[in-house]
Amino acid sequence: MKKKISVLLLIAFLFSVSLRAQVTIGALTSPAAGALLDLNRGVTGGLLLSNIPLNDLRFIPATGFVGISTQQDSNQELAGMIVYNTDATTGIGVHVWDGDDWIKPCAPPAPGPITFSGPSCAVTVGVEPVSGATSYDWTLPPGLTVVGPSDSATITISGAASTYSTGSISVRAVSSSCGAGTRRASTQDLTLLAALAAPGPITFSATTICGVGTTFTAGVTAVSGATSYDWTLPNGLTVVGPSDGATITISGDAKTYPAGSITVRAVSPSCGDGAPSTSTQDVTVVAIPATPGPITFSSTTICGAGTTFTAGVTAVSGATSYDWTLPNGLTVVGPSDGATITISGVAGTYSAGSISVRAMSSSCGSTPRTGTQTVTVGSIPAEPINPSSNSVARNSSFTFSATVPDGHVIDWYDALTGGNQTHTGVNSFSENLTASKTYYAESRNTATGCVSATRLAVTGTVVISGCDNPPATPLITSANVQFVNNNSPLYTRRGITLSTSVKIVGKGSKTSVSTSDSAIDYRDHSTSTVQYGSWFTWCMVAWYADVLCPSPWRVPSLKDFQDYSGITTTDDYTYEIYGRPADKVSEAIDGWLLSGFADGSDTYYVGSHTFYWSSTPEGMKGANSADVVSALFRAEAYNHRHSGFSLRCVR
């Protein structure tokens, strides 16, 4: 016992004297050269190590070690200290402190230098593989994380953009049988770049593109750190020119590309692709409609400001509306976007080309088509003025006339409205009148063709001297009309054929008339126009010759009677009728109906004598007639116009 104590005291003394002294335990021999402590000199047994539980191999625990009262994660002075770990969790067995960690003596050596791929957004960090290592234990500073496997000789790191100082990253090789070896720390700074941000909203130069193949641009604001951009387009859209810029030029087929169908990512060689940005609105490529055909107008001359007319084109395939352009003065009435529109305008001339139209699809229009003819909106002329108003004798020429301004002419009609046009573009014309007649004058602008809204009545008044006012219309019926000699010609003494038939008007009984010649007003025939049964006054014959002797019949003139008889003077009262012998007079008289005549309140010479009116007047009160008696024919006789005579029509 004393011997053991002495030995221990000796060892303590030796250590206290100098740490460099060499000691042999278990023998009195000198230790081996180079050994401070020699336990291998004839002594059997081993070195009993301190048994300490190491529950965390990264630290020197606060208990179990002389002079250490706090946990230490690094202590280079104790590097090489050996203990026996009794903690089953961290691995029972001999462990050596390497200055930073507890390692087993059989653990792999420290890895070689750590290398980096950066700077980048995701950095590759690695060491050369260590012999015997089955994995690697990496330690990273806050802000960095491993992307993917974390126990390889090489790992990928990402994290907050920053510079991580030398030594902040470390690694040790690990053996599945011997545990982790000594840690290797980095010897250079690591710079981690920020990951690329997603681009901002995609903007377009237009969201409705007119025309297949027409280009438009799509773009985003430049992303910090990006060197290019990766665009994704739907089928139908293609990039024209460079395809990797923040802004690209696109061409497409006619269709609508919905929101989200176009995407873009920012790209960096160091950081790869950022998050995508997608379009937030539709993009529509519209086929441009064809140019419309010629513009046609319902009328190229429109009369009256505010009067409407239409302009139109044939519908264009694919067009949804039409864009019309009108000159000042013309306005659209009603819908303005159809293939045909209704237009109203102020007076004026609108030249060819001043009206145009484009076929539209969405907001895309075709090349415009312009009008190819002039459209005139003319003012409505006033009706003519200053009508001619004189009166003429029967069968005399009357000039119908009126006045219109320069640049206008008159069209004449036979009715106040509608009717037939009788004369065109003349301000006056003449016509022989047998009775009063009215024409209607309409003014026409020769430049615009516009006509007056109303017509001016112009009346040619026929006046029969002494018979100023027409009497009541005579009654002509089969009872007082007789045809004779329908099939036998009548001859004059000169042998001239005058007619193939004779119409005798005047047959029947008389009615009461005024008995006083002085009571008759020969200008106002209110009392002298009585029809004497089958007899007529001369004024009635004069006014109603066309009724009494309808075409082709006529009232014979005095000359006609003279031609019939061959008598040319009023002195020859006795002759053979129609040149017949005296013994044949009765045969000739048969064709003349000796019905007498009426005068005053009585009739005379019925059956033996009669007067036939001619169309020839004789003064204000008288008229010429033919006097036929049983034995003579007087071709000229003066009689009062109020007398009731018979009428013979010829043709």
Side-chain angles (χ1 to χ4, degrees), residues 490-502 554 556-567 575-579 592 626 633 635 648-651:
L490 300 178
Y491 297 92
T492 66
R493 287 179 62 183
R494 298 174 183 172
I496 301 174
T497 301
L498 296 179
S499 176
T500 59
S501 60
V502 179
R554 73 177 188 277
S557 66
L558 176 61
K559 186 175 184 303
D560 286 330
F561 286 138
Q562 292 172 344
D563 288 341
Y564 283 149
S565 64
I567 304 300
Y575 52 84
E576 295 176 335
I577 298 178
Y578 296 119
W592 286 91
F633 184 105
R648 174 174 178 166
C649 302
V650 297
R651 67 179 181 183

Side-chain angles (χ1 to χ4, degrees), residues 1-13 25-26:
M1 181 66 179
K2 289 182 180 179
K3 185 176 181 180
K4 290 182 179 180
I5 294 173
S6 298
V7 173
L8 291 174
L9 289 174
L10 176 61
I11 292 172
F13 171 77
I25 298 177

Side-chain angles (χ1 to χ4, degrees), residues 300-302 304-305 328-330 345-351 374-379 448:
T300 55
T301 299
I302 296 86
N328 290 336
L330 296 184
V346 299
T349 297
Y350 303 91
S351 62
T374 297
V375 176
T376 300
V377 177
S379 300
T448 65

Side-chain angles (χ1 to χ4, degrees), residues 316-399:
V316 175
S317 177
T320 56
S321 63
Y322 297 82
D323 178 28
W324 289 88
T325 300
L326 303 180
N328 290 336
L330 296 184
T331 56
V332 177
V333 179
S336 61
D337 59 355
T340 298
I341 58 173
T342 300
I343 301 174
S344 173
V346 299
T349 297
Y350 303 91
S351 62
S354 63
I355 299 175
S356 65
V357 61
R358 297 191 303 162
M360 304 294 292
S361 178
S362 298
S363 59
C364 300
S366 63
T367 301
R369 167 71 68 183
T370 58
T372 57
Q373 55 190 358
T374 297
V375 176
T376 300
V377 177
S379 300
I380 296 179
E383 72 173 30
I385 58 175
N386 303 323
S388 54
S389 58
N390 59 303
S391 50
V392 296
R394 183 180 175 86
N395 291 316
S396 298
S397 176
F398 179 84
T399 299

Side-chain angles (χ1 to χ4, degrees), residues 132-210:
T134 56
S135 64
Y136 297 83
D137 178 26
W138 290 89
T139 300
L140 303 178
L144 295 183
T145 57
V146 177
V147 179
S150 61
D151 58 355
S152 301
T154 299
I155 60 173
T156 300
I157 300 174
S158 68
S162 180
T163 297
Y164 300 90
S165 62
T166 299
S168 62
I169 298 175
S170 66
V171 61
R172 57 183 180 175
V174 178
S175 168
S176 58
S177 59
C178 291
T182 301
R183 185 173 298 279
R184 167 74 69 179
S186 59
T187 59
Q188 62 183 18
D189 292 344
L190 167 64
T191 300
L192 192 67
L193 303 178
L196 293 178
I202 300 175
T203 59
F204 300 94
S205 58
T207 55
T208 298
I209 294 85
C210 298

Side-chain angles (χ1 to χ4, degrees), residues 574-589 630-632:
T574 304
Y575 52 84
E576 295 176 335
I577 298 178
Y578 296 119
R580 296 176 185 274
D583 60 348
K584 298 295 184 181
V585 169
S586 60
E587 180 182 342
I589 294 298
S630 58
L632 65 87

Side-chain angles (χ1 to χ4, degrees), residues 450-526:
C450 296
V451 299
S452 57
T454 57
R455 296 172 183 169
L456 173 71
V458 180
T459 300
T461 303
V462 171
V463 175
I464 298 176
S465 180
C467 302
D468 297 338
N469 296 317
T473 304
L475 176 63
I476 303 299
T477 68
S478 59
N480 57 15
V481 177
Q482 177 184 3
F483 289 87
V484 296
N485 294 335
N486 287 328
N487 299 311
S488 59
L490 300 178
Y491 297 92
T492 66
R493 287 179 62 183
R494 298 174 183 172
I496 301 174
T497 301
L498 296 179
S499 176
T500 59
S501 60
V502 179
K503 177 180 181 180
I504 303 298
V505 180
K507 180 181 180 183
S509 60
K510 85 171 185 61
T511 60
S512 61
V513 296
S514 172
T515 59
S516 172
D517 184 50
S518 62
I520 298 173
D521 180 354
Y522 293 97
R523 294 183 180 276
D524 178 5
H525 298 282
S526 59

